[in-house]
């Protein structure tokens, strides 16, 4: 199942890429706000599965205008981001794996959707393709074996990062340097974990103007999704609608020789087959 934010309204996306307006199809049981799906995720999921399986003629399916897609989870209560979570990236960055994942926040004002134009601020802006997890059912101290039951879906994300502010000085600014406007593109939609070929082993890549920069698999994470949910929820309470940026593989710009950063006029395409393709235009 795929759900999306179409011009600020919650929609289901069919296999042939048509949209079903949730508020209309549910007779108002679920509201038009994309965040309303998380008020009672399990009830919403049951209803949505039934609707998508129902070929009733009265169900209106409209052409999906992808240019109108916003971030699938536009106002998450919390955004958690994981650093150095792929073995090759940990090696290139010089980090040994630790007992607790390197965790920081990104601010919700940095969220944008597919095909967004992102203005580059002064500095060195880098790319980081990531699989992003949306929490459907919150909780504290969630057991690893129960973790996937708390996940609403997966989407493609970029953790864009301005490296000068992030890394200079004795007190680096991870959260601020990664939260400029548009620095958290996600999309094009949210895909439930049962809809992907193998939720624990998905290809993940990104390219700039057709040149591949990162190419890996999510099975190479040091901390996989169940482990992240378990370890994060051991400390804090995860809330419905929270986003977890799960970390990026090797191939980022500031670890290249010479370093390579994003430039105005370039197009960044991030891909997780089975989840989606996210386009970000740099200006």
């Amino acid at each position: 199942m795929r759900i999306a934010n179409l011009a600020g309204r919650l929609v289901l996306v069919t296999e042939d890429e048509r949209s079903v307006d949730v508020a209309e199809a549910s007779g108002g049981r679920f509201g038009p706000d994309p965040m309303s799906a998380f008020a009672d995720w399990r009830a919403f999921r049951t209803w949505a599965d039934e609707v998508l399986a129902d070929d009733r003629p009265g169900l209106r399916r409209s052409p999906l205008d992808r240019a109108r897609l916003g971030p699938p989870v536009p106002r998450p209560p919390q955004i958690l981001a994981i650093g150095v979570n792929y073995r090759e990236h940990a090696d290139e960055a010089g980090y040994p794996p630790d007992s607790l994942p390197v965790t920081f926040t990104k601010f919700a004002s940095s969220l944008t959707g597919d095909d967004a134009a992102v203005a580059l601020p002064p500095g060195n802006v880098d790319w980081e393709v990531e699989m992003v997890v949306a929490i459907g059912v919150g909780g504290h101290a969630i057991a690893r074996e129960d973790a996937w039951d708390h996940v609403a879906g997966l989407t493609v994300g970029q953790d864009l990062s301005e490296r000068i502010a992030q890394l200079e000085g004795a007190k680096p600014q991870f959260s601020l340097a990664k939260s400029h406007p548009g620095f958290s593109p996600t999309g094009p939609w949210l895909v439930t974990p049962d809809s992907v070929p193998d939720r624990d082993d998905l290809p993940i890549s990104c390219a700039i103007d057709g040149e591949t920069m990162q190419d890996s698999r999510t099975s190479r994470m040091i901390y996989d999704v169940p482990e992240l949910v378990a370890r994060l929820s051991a400390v804090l309470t995860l809330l419905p609608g929270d986003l977890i940026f799960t970390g990026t593989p090797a191939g980022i710009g500031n670890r290249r020789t010479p370093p390579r950063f994003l430039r105005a006029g370039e197009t960044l395409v991030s891909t997780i087959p089975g989840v989606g393709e996210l386009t970000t235009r740099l200006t």
Side-chain angles (χ1 to χ4, degrees):
M1 183 179 76
R2 295 180 290 180
I3 67 173
N5 168 5
L6 182 62
R9 292 185 69 89
L10 177 64
V11 299
L12 305 178
V13 180
T14 64
E15 287 298 320
D16 59 351
E17 289 203 11
R18 299 177 77 81
S19 65
V20 175
D21 187 277
V22 168
E24 178 184 304
S26 69
R29 179 183 175 188
F30 301 100
D33 187 340
M35 296 305 299
S36 66
F38 301 101
D40 187 345
W41 172 256
R42 288 184 174 130
F44 172 78
R45 175 66 197 274
T46 299
W47 171 84
D49 282 340
E50 292 172 354
V51 166
L52 291 176
D54 187 356
D55 197 24
R56 55 186 172 176
L59 185 65
R60 187 156 66 97
R61 298 171 175 86
S62 304
L64 180 68
D65 183 357
R66 291 187 59 149
R68 300 173 67 211
L69 290 175
V73 185
R75 298 186 310 281
Q78 303 176 111
I79 302 177
L80 305 170
I82 307 301
V84 290
N85 195 27
Y86 285 75
R87 179 67 270 160
E88 296 92 338
H89 181 43
D91 290 342
E92 74 175 356
Y95 286 98
D98 202 352
S99 59
L100 188 67
V102 176
T103 306
F104 53 93
T105 62
K106 289 172 70 73
F107 297 109
S109 60
S110 67
L111 284 169
T112 192
D114 185 33
D115 199 29
V118 177
L120 296 174
N124 297 330
V125 179
D126 208 344
W127 59 87
E128 293 191 12
V129 63
E130 309 208 5
M131 184 171 75
V132 180
V133 170
I135 297 297
V137 179
H140 178 67
I142 298 168
R144 175 185 166 86
E145 57 268 25
D146 298 328
W148 276 114
D149 293 335
H150 289 256
V151 173
L154 309 171
T155 191
V156 186
Q158 269 285 340
D159 176 21
L160 298 179
S161 308
E162 196 289 291
R163 298 299 191 192
I164 294 176
Q166 179 190 345
L167 300 172
E168 73 178 356
K171 297 179 180 179
Q173 295 284 354
F174 274 58
S175 296
L176 287 178
K178 292 169 173 280
S179 292
H180 289 271
F183 267 34
S184 302
T186 57
W189 37 60
L190 197 65
V191 179
T192 53
D194 62 311
S195 300
V196 297
D198 185 344
R199 63 192 184 185
D200 295 302
D201 183 23
L202 294 167
I204 181 170
S205 64
C206 77
I208 299 173
D209 291 345
E211 180 184 357
T212 298
M213 296 297 172
Q214 294 179 278
D215 188 8
S216 188
R217 303 189 70 88
T218 60
S219 56
R220 295 175 185 167
M221 288 182 183
I222 297 170
Y223 307 99
D224 62 10
V225 170
E227 194 67 16
L228 286 175
V229 170
R231 292 192 185 221
L232 291 172
S233 71
V235 177
L236 54 89
T237 298
L238 293 176
L239 303 173
D242 280 354
L243 293 180
I244 303 173
F245 281 68
T246 60
T248 197
I252 58 174
N254 76 330
R255 294 297 169 181
R256 293 173 177 262
T257 304
R260 193 318 192 175
F261 299 106
L262 292 168
R263 308 179 188 111
E266 293 181 328
T267 299
L268 178 65
V269 177
S270 308
T271 307
I272 303 177
V275 177
E277 182 177 278
L278 175 72
T279 297
T280 306
R281 294 176 288 110
L282 292 316
T283 64

